[in-house]
Amino acid sequence: MSLLTYAGPDGEKTWPKKYPFCGGVFQSPIDFHRDILQYDSNLSPLEFIGYNVPSTNQFTLTNNGHSVKMYLSPTMHIRNLPFEYTASQLHLHWGNRNKSEGSEHTVSGKHFAAELHIVHYNSEKYPDVTAAMDKADGLAVLAILLEIGPFNPSYEKIFRHFQNVKYKDQMVQVPGFNIQELLPDRPDEYYRYEGSLTTPPCYPSVLWTVFRHPVKISQEQLLALETAMYCTESDDPEPLEMVDNFRNVQEFRERLVFISFRE
Ligand SMILES: NS(=O)(=O)c1c(F)c(F)c(S(=O)(=O)CCO)c(N[C@H]2CCc3ccccc32)c1F
Ligand SMILES: [Zn+2]
């Protein structure tokens, strides 16, 4: 994939030229606002199996040029979805040091500071994430909205490694920890809709679960996220800061977002 960019001449408006699904249906992210929300009493709490990964295991954290992503353990999976979904990786989306409004999903038109995505694939029907990623029931992504507050020691278990993945293709090992610590309070309260990958190839293959409550990280932690990484390789004479790596919200017509909570 050529250098994926969000802004400028090769920005997200040009994606459909090379990646037709990006101009298609069921695109993510979207804005959650009152008149498209509908309470659904069947939306039960998700179960997170194997999320407590011992520190003797290690996760690989890497900079892939447009996000920072951490590969997860195949022993991690979610239950209580239509199928069992196995964890693949997590990654983040953020803004920049002058504008900490880099979430992908918005609520009543409001951006949060950043957003964490935990990508899972349907391991009941597909052998791996590559086989699953272009299937309608292929992926399930958990989204956690991040906002400024007290220092967050759980997020720090990932953030403290950012200085070792500053440049594209750099990698570092992160000791295992309980990934459930990254989830907000009341994970039983969430938005649910069928959408897509928010980067090319934008396959409409994602069952989105966006938690209602944001998680707090400190101003310093957010600044580290916004300033640590580059899209370019360490020897590139023209370094490009990795900032504003969020897609704008997409049209969402004649569809509903189901909520597990009563407003
Ligand atoms: N916001 S999102 O959840 O839609 C989403 C991304 F925004 C994103 F950038 C990526 S990425 O290309 O792999 C880079 C960071 O993982 C993926 N990775 C997916 C897409 C392609 C692929 C292949 C194997 C494993 C994961 C993914 C992704 F699902
Ligand atoms: Zn994402």
Side-chain angles (χ1 to χ4, degrees), residues 64 66 69 89 91 93 104 117 119 129 133 197-199:
N64 73 353
H66 52 267
K69 74 176 169 186
Q89 47 106 305
H91 61 271
H93 301 268
E104 296 214 300
H117 289 159
V119 182
V129 65
M133 65 192 253
L197 296 174
T198 67
T199 56

Side-chain angles (χ1 to χ4, degrees), residues 1 4 21 39 62 75 107 137 159 167-168 224-225 243 258:
M1 182 184 309
L4 175 104
F21 286 105
Y39 173 67
T62 181
T75 57
V107 179
D137 56 4
F159 284 34
Y167 301 101
K168 185 171 185 297
L225 177 62
V243 292
F258 299 100

Side-chain angles (χ1 to χ4, degrees), residues 1 4 6 28 64 66-71 88-93 104 117-119 129-130 133 139 141 196-201 203 206 208 245:
M1 182 184 309
L4 175 104
Y6 287 84
S28 296
N64 73 353
H66 52 267
S67 181
V68 60
K69 74 176 169 186
M70 189 165 90
Y71 292 101
S88 170
Q89 47 106 305
L90 62 75
H91 61 271
L92 293 119
H93 301 268
E104 296 214 300
H117 289 159
I118 310 177
V119 182
V129 65
T130 310
M133 65 192 253
L139 301 179
V141 181
S196 75
L197 296 174
T198 67
T199 56
Y203 295 130
V206 180
W208 281 97
N245 62 348

Side-chain angles (χ1 to χ4, degrees), residues 204-221:
S205 60
V206 180
L207 185 65
W208 281 97
T209 299
V210 181
F211 294 110
R212 179 189 194 182
H213 301 289
V215 162
K216 293 183 187 327
I217 61 173
S218 70
Q219 179 74 48
E220 293 74 17
Q221 287 179 299

